[in-house]
């Protein structure tokens, strides 16, 4: 499975959009981009995933570049409860989820 | 509640004890997983089960012994653990490998 690169940490003001980048330059054609988040001492929570097209759900939007080598998770109106570690994972639909270090997002009042 | 329930939430055990962690999912999923998360480290995949059959063992020491009696239940039997095995143990389930995983809240294990 392809490796991802994420910034170690980011800050965001409450009520503003949080844009979390992820590089996955070695992604294969059959690999999806998944995003999960983990609030302190809880289990990770699925956010969204996509293959080629941009995706949106009630939690977030996922923007994937045309060459699929990078993506951005967008939380449109961040709240204090969005403070968490965000993981970007690339995996085949039949593959395992291998977690990296993720990005620690701190939402500040 | 996520639909994946882990018990106990916290466990303290001595190095000579035998204990078991339990995971139960009410989502009708057919794949279940054990992950280990040590302090300030990424989640490490330990075991994968598909339709009750173990399909992956990521070089986990034999002092960790998984059991999957059916698609809804997963156990992790622990014996003669070391202090470095202290960690958060997370169970997850999915409809198939790579589809959206649902995680439990984890068991915080401390080996003394």
């Amino acid at each position: 499975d392809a490796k991802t690169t994420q910034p170690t940490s980011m800050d965001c003001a409450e009520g503003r959009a949080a844009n979390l980048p992820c590089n996955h330059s070695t992604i294969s054609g059959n690999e999806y981009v998944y995003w999960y988040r983990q609030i302190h001492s809880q289990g990770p929570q699925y956010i969204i995933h996509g293959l080629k097209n941009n995706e949106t759900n009630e939690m977030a939007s996922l923007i994937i570049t045309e060459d699929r080598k990078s993506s951005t998770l967008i939380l449109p109106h961040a709240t204090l409860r969005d403070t968490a570690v965000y993981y970007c994972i690339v995996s085949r639909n039949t593959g395992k989820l291998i977690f990296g270090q993720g990005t620690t997002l701190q939402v500040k009042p | 509640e996520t639909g994946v329930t882990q018990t106990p939430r916290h466990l303290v055990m001595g190095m000579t004890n035998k204990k078991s962690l339990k995971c139960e999912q009410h989502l009708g999923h057919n794949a279940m997983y054990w992950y280990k998360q040590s302090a300030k480290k990424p989640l490490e995949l330990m075991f994968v089960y598909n339709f009750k059959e173990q399909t992956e063992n990521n070089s986990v020491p034999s002092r960790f012994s998984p059991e999957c009696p059916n698609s809804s239940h997963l156990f992790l039997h622990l014996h003669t653990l070391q202090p470095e095995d202290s960690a958060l143990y997370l169970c997850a389930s999915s409809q198939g490998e790579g589809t959206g995983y649902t995680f439990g809240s984890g068991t915080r294990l401390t080996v003394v």
Side-chain angles (χ1 to χ4, degrees):
Chain A
D1 292 326
K3 186 176 176 180
T4 62
T5 303
Q6 299 177 251
T8 303
S9 63
M10 293 181 63
D11 290 342
C12 177
E14 189 179 17
R16 304 298 294 269
N19 297 283
L20 292 94
C22 180
N23 286 322
H24 31 79
S25 58
T26 59
I27 192 170
S28 300
N30 62 351
E31 288 182 316
Y32 287 72
V33 181
Y34 293 86
W35 283 85
Y36 284 76
R37 73 180 183 184
Q38 186 175 24
I39 296 171
H40 182 62
S41 292
Q42 296 181 22
Q45 176 190 23
Y46 167 82
I47 300 173
I48 199 167
H49 77 285
L51 183 63
K52 294 182 183 178
N53 300 323
N54 298 336
E55 302 288 344
T56 295
N57 63 22
E58 64 279 3
M59 288 183 69
S61 295
L62 174 60
I63 309 298
I64 303 174
T65 57
E66 194 168 338
D67 64 6
R68 304 212 318 128
K69 291 178 186 273
S70 66
S71 60
T72 302
L73 178 75
I74 301 173
L75 307 178
H77 305 286
T79 71
L80 298 178
R81 286 180 292 183
D82 291 321
T83 292
V85 180
Y86 287 77
Y87 298 99
C88 169
I89 304 166
V90 292
S91 178
R92 293 173 291 118
N93 198 31
T94 56
K96 303 173 293 292
L97 292 183
I98 305 299
F99 288 76
Q101 296 279 4
T103 296
T104 299
L105 175 69
Q106 182 72 49
V107 180
K108 299 186 173 181
Chain B
E1 280 298 328
T2 65
V4 178
T5 303
Q6 289 189 243
T7 54
R9 291 295 305 274
H10 300 272
L11 177 63
V12 179
M13 61 185 288
M15 289 189 283
T16 58
N17 291 160
K18 288 185 180 181
K19 297 286 185 182
S20 295
L21 310 185
K22 179 182 176 182
C23 177
E24 183 174 1
Q25 57 99 357
H26 308 278
L27 302 168
H29 290 167
N30 51 39
M32 297 187 78
Y33 315 82
W34 280 116
Y35 282 83
K36 173 186 177 182
Q37 188 172 32
S38 303
K40 301 191 186 300
K41 287 187 175 181
L43 281 79
E44 300 172 56
L45 180 63
M46 300 174 73
F47 301 104
V48 179
Y49 278 82
N50 268 287
F51 295 100
K52 304 187 301 178
E53 298 298 320
Q54 186 181 125
T55 57
E56 182 119 1
N57 174 341
N58 273 342
S59 303
V60 180
S62 59
R63 58 186 183 270
F64 294 92
S65 174
E67 179 190 2
C68 189
N70 54 59
S71 293
S72 299
H73 293 86
L74 185 64
F75 295 89
L76 188 63
H77 303 299
L78 316 171
H79 65 97
T80 59
L81 295 192
Q82 305 297 312
E84 59 264 28
D85 296 322
S86 299
L88 180 67
Y89 288 85
L90 289 157
C91 172
S93 70
S94 72
Q95 189 54 31
E97 291 188 64
T99 58
Y101 284 23
T102 301
F103 282 83
S105 298
T107 294
R108 174 71 62 186
L109 173 68
T110 302
V111 181
V112 297

